Amino acid sequence: MVIVTTIRRDVVTLPAARSGPDNPLPPLRPLDELHRIDDRDREDLPPDMARQIGHAPLSSLLPVRVRDGYGRTREPRTTDALVIENDRLRATVLPGLGGRIASLVHKPTGRELLYRNPVLQPANFALNGAWFSGGIEWNIGATGHTTLSCSPLHAARVPAPDGGEMLRLWEWERLRDLPFQVDLWLPDGSDFLYVGVRVRNPHEHPVPTYWWSNIAVPEERRVLAPAQEAWHFGYERRLRRVPVPAYDGIDRTYPLHSTFAADYFYEVPEGRRRWIAALDGDGHGLVQTSTDALRGRKLFVWGTGAGGRRWQEWLTEPGTGGYCEIQAGLARTQLEHVRLAARSEVSWLEAYGPLTAPPEGEWADVLREAGARLEAVLPRAAVDAAHEAWKPYADTEPGEILATGSGWGALEVLRADWKLPGTPFDERTLGDDQAPWRALLRTGSFPEPRRVRPPGPTLVAPHWRDMLETAPATPLTEYHLGVAQWHAGDRAQAVRSWERALALAPSLWPLLRCLAVADRESGHDERAADRYLDAFDDLCRERRDSGESWTAAMAALGRETVEALLAVRRPAAARAVWERLHPSTRERGRFRLLEAEILCAEGRREEARAVFDAGFEVADLREGAETLGRLWARLSDGPLPARYDFRMRPSTP
């Protein structure tokens, strides 16, 4: 048989916003988590679901940093892409952006099977901030969009089970310290893209695990999944069982029939084939199916309310059409984490391709016909067989390297001497962020920097914390040790580590900021405000230039300082901090909002209202955030202007 599948390099040019620097301050505050249920709903859940919802939810972003330096000024920018295609399908993959499949085209019909975003606009939806909409994304780590949404993955050519080539993507997921891989291949003449996924736990202890494959499709669709019930979860944080397709007299399988943003986690019966499809009015669209390990199926809708429409515009270009998401995951809902035993792995196979079936009619009839047509074009047994055929190839060492991810996996492999066939983490990928930790591993000491600069990232896993505890107690070591202790829940010891470092530290502001966070978390708001002021003063004295890293530190610390001062009703001090920020920082939407909050606290409501009237955009506005609406309500009795209306839930009385 002649194999005609090809993998080639390409570039994609899109109007894109600059990503900007990461926030240099360690994320010590608890997650602003939207996906936690009301305790009233727990007693009505199936026992396995209740157990997995309570299993090790993420409490901190550490060791990952927040990515909030992006803006909303878009210019044509090129992004590296990898294209895998046969005579039937063409998939465009962005290895530098989480391995996102940006496009999946069915060549015989010319149909784009996904929602392909015409712009690349980061927004604050990932666990660590920057995320963008469209395509197929691979979410690993914990409830929410992965911290790798806008990060590079390793990529390489690998032999495929049919004698052709696969495109392998792999990386080290840092929230749970788990290596994973995604293998994509197109059998000759196949209308389906096969995706083999493996998550490994190399540790001597079990690890909570999370995976959801999120597929963006145009929202003018009917979404089909073999279920009669679903778990509905909205931004009111209530999880309840509802009938499918209709409840409250409305057929919710049409995304545009819902008013507010919501998740529908379909209750696919045991033994039924796992699949989900989105079909247009003519019955054409995309279907995703998998082996049974990928249990869950979900529909996410933005809804037709003002907030949902605003978010759709925010994430793309107005007038280009909206999207919904069909998804597949390891558990029934995204609120759950499953237990991955020590020294074990979980794998499955997914398939993505076109489906044509009648979308209208009685639900049972529609499902029966769609299921039969899926079975005709891709039998369930064929998917199971493809998974079995792929598994021996999952350990095959990559050939030509096509893209390079981070060096964190190489550091962990170097530390533990793990053998991870199929997913090499080469020492040559180690970079500046890993350098001091490599030195700690080799010498037992954490090196002091050669020049004054903001501290680098902190590693917080127990093995790194143990090394920091036995290293010579230099100020920088104590700083990192305190962050690791804080992450472990030993807050009193963390405070002692930071306080010990103050006596000898040449750079005080990182320590003072950590102590200020500790004060706020323990309810000592006045002391926190004072420490924030001292930290900001020290940073202003220490700042060496107007380069990106120092400006990012000033912006991040300045924002936290202003917020702490406003919390204790000290607007004059807050204004003094705001005015010391770089002019380009003050022009950013986040800081225009801070200016309005300062003006409001000063009693200058008309001037605060003028900030709104002049217009601003908070680039890193958080999913579900209601900050704009709350401040507007203090300034005006009128309705919230549409440009600021991002509300994703019904108004509460």
Side-chain angles (χ1 to χ4, degrees):
M1 179 173 61
V2 178
I3 304 299
V4 296
T5 298
T6 62
I7 299 172
R8 58 182 170 84
R9 299 176 188 270
D10 201 352
V11 294
V12 173
T13 301
L14 291 173
R18 183 172 172 273
S19 59
D22 287 356
N23 188 319
L25 307 182
L28 301 177
R29 302 290 297 277
L31 286 176
D32 181 18
E33 180 52 68
L34 297 171
H35 303 96
R36 290 183 179 158
I37 69 170
D38 191 301
D39 288 338
R40 292 172 292 176
D41 296 332
R42 290 183 183 272
E43 60 187 31
D44 297 325
L45 301 179
D48 63 329
M49 183 186 292
R51 181 176 63 255
Q52 291 184 161
I53 285 177
H55 178 50
L58 195 67
S59 60
S60 167
L61 270 181
L62 290 164
V64 178
R65 287 187 160 184
V66 173
R67 184 159 291 165
D68 61 1
Y70 52 88
R72 289 191 57 80
T73 300
R74 295 192 287 264
E75 299 175 351
R77 302 179 193 274
T78 59
T79 300
D80 288 339
L82 299 170
V83 177
I84 177 170
E85 66 181 314
N86 63 5
D87 58 334
R88 310 291 294 174
L89 285 176
R90 180 172 61 249
T92 302
V93 181
L94 306 180
L97 294 168
R100 183 80 59 98
I101 298 180
S103 170
L104 183 62
V105 175
H106 185 234
K107 295 166 70 172
T109 61
R111 292 193 186 100
E112 171 63 67
L113 300 180
L114 305 175
Y115 168 76
R116 185 171 187 172
N117 198 333
V119 304
L120 182 53
Q121 176 57 61
N124 193 357
F125 280 76
L127 285 164
N128 63 330
W131 171 87
F132 64 102
S133 65
I136 304 172
E137 57 178 309
W138 318 111
N139 288 296
I140 182 173
T143 298
H145 293 282
T146 178
T147 61
L148 296 167
S149 293
C150 292
S151 295
L153 302 191
H154 302 281
R157 298 179 193 269
V158 184
D162 61 359
E165 288 185 321
M166 293 190 295
L167 172 60
R168 175 164 298 163
L169 307 167
W170 74 99
E171 214 358 315
W172 192 275
E173 200 288 308
R174 301 180 65 210
L175 295 178
R176 304 297 195 184
D177 268 335
L178 298 177
F180 70 96
Q181 70 190 77
V182 178
D183 288 355
L184 301 93
W185 80 101
L186 286 164
D188 184 31
S190 175
D191 277 326
F192 283 84
L193 173 69
Y194 285 178
V195 181
V197 182
R198 177 168 63 169
V199 181
R200 288 191 274 200
N201 176 13
H203 304 283
E204 300 290 346
H205 55 82
V207 176
T209 307
Y210 175 95
W211 182 281
W212 281 80
S213 301
N214 289 11
I215 309 131
V217 293
E219 62 184 350
E220 298 87 358
R221 298 289 186 269
R222 191 181 197 191
V223 173
L224 312 180
Q228 303 298 322
E229 293 182 310
W231 294 91
H232 172 274
F233 184 74
Y235 286 81
E236 321 89 281
R237 304 189 184 185
R238 301 299 306 273
L239 182 66
R240 62 185 186 273
R241 196 191 298 258
V242 299
V244 175
Y247 80 92
D248 289 343
I250 299 172
D251 188 333
R252 308 286 176 166
T253 62
Y254 295 89
L256 292 173
H257 285 185
S258 292
T259 304
F260 295 100
D263 300 327
Y264 296 90
F265 299 103
Y266 293 112
E267 189 70 80
V268 179
E270 290 295 330
R272 291 289 297 273
R273 184 176 186 177
R274 309 282 162 172
W275 61 272
I276 190 168
L279 305 180
D280 64 20
D282 294 326
H284 303 302
L286 172 81
V287 65
Q288 185 273 0
T289 187
S290 72
T291 49
D292 289 350
L294 204 63
R295 176 181 183 178
R297 293 297 185 274
K298 171 193 158 182
L299 164 64
F300 167 75
V301 300
W302 282 108
T304 58
R309 294 298 92 192
R310 185 69 181 105
W311 276 116
Q312 292 269 31
E313 295 175 352
W314 188 253
L315 295 170
T316 185
E317 288 283 5
T320 57
Y323 74 97
C324 64
E325 288 179 353
I326 56 175
Q327 307 181 9
L330 281 176
R332 277 187 288 192
T333 75
Q334 288 175 327
L335 311 174
E336 303 167 67
H337 298 88
V338 300
R339 183 180 184 273
L340 187 58
R343 291 193 170 277
S344 72
E345 63 182 50
V346 60
S347 74
W348 61 90
L349 186 122
E350 304 180 45
Y352 296 83
L355 181 69
T356 297
E360 307 290 342
E362 291 295 324
W363 183 243
D365 296 336
V366 169
L367 291 184
R368 187 180 304 110
E369 181 64 20
R373 295 198 181 193
L374 172 59
E375 186 66 17
V377 295
L378 184 64
R380 182 179 186 179
V383 176
D384 292 337
H387 182 219
E388 291 302 315
W390 165 73
K391 285 195 290 187
Y393 289 81
D395 284 347
T396 302
E397 292 304 316
E400 180 191 0
I401 300 299
L402 300 172
T404 303
S406 78
W408 295 114
L411 183 67
E412 292 299 332
V413 169
L414 188 65
R415 179 195 64 81
D417 194 29
W418 277 317
K419 307 303 179 187
L420 300 169
T423 55
F425 293 96
D426 196 304
E427 282 191 50
R428 288 173 293 184
T429 63
L430 293 167
D432 291 343
D433 283 344
Q434 293 84 40
W437 299 96
R438 186 184 193 184
L440 174 64
L441 185 62
R442 289 184 166 179
T443 68
S445 299
F446 198 90
E448 291 294 313
R450 296 180 179 177
R451 57 186 176 86
V452 176
R453 60 182 179 182
T458 302
L459 296 180
V460 297
H463 42 267
W464 293 109
R465 188 173 73 246
D466 291 345
M467 280 185 266
L468 289 168
E469 287 175 344
T470 58
T474 65
L476 186 57
T477 302
E478 294 279 29
Y479 162 80
H480 286 297
L481 176 58
V483 174
Q485 290 166 330
W486 181 271
H487 174 73
D490 192 352
R491 296 190 169 188
Q493 190 59 54
V495 168
R496 285 192 285 272
S497 296
W498 293 326
E499 288 177 338
R500 281 196 304 269
L502 279 174
L504 297 174
S507 182
L508 301 180
W509 66 268
L511 298 159
L512 289 169
R513 181 265 175 177
C514 289
L515 291 167
V517 173
D519 284 335
R520 287 205 76 178
E521 288 297 294
S522 60
H524 297 96
D525 290 345
E526 285 287 354
R527 189 169 69 197
D530 289 338
R531 275 183 161 150
Y532 265 121
L533 271 176
D534 290 343
F536 189 76
D537 286 343
D538 185 68
L539 175 56
C540 289
R541 287 191 294 270
E542 184 176 285
R543 178 177 178 171
R544 292 296 187 265
D545 54 48
S546 295
E548 187 174 75
S549 62
W550 286 107
T551 300
M554 287 282 290
L557 184 57
R559 173 182 169 182
E560 289 189 13
T561 303
V562 168
E563 290 170 347
L565 290 165
L566 290 178
V568 294
R569 295 182 172 84
R570 292 162 64 177
R575 174 165 293 283
V577 170
W578 187 84
E579 289 177 345
R580 294 169 75 182
L581 295 171
H582 193 276
S584 64
T585 299
R586 295 201 303 268
E587 292 171 3
R588 289 165 51 186
R590 170 62 64 183
F591 292 87
R592 293 284 287 155
L593 175 60
L594 270 185
E595 180 188 22
E597 291 175 339
I598 293 169
L599 288 165
C600 186
E602 292 171 333
R604 300 157 65 182
R605 293 177 57 194
E606 290 186 3
E607 292 173 75
R609 168 67 183 269
V611 174
F612 275 83
D613 293 342
F616 60 90
E617 292 185 321
V618 181
D620 63 331
L621 188 69
R622 184 66 176 162
E623 173 190 9
E626 298 180 353
T627 309
L628 293 170
R630 285 197 296 267
L631 180 57
W632 176 262
R634 295 167 60 191
L635 302 176
S636 172
D637 295 328
L640 181 65
R643 68 179 301 177
Y644 302 118
D645 189 354
F646 294 89
R647 293 172 292 189
M648 298 173 70
R649 60 175 180 166
S651 300
T652 53

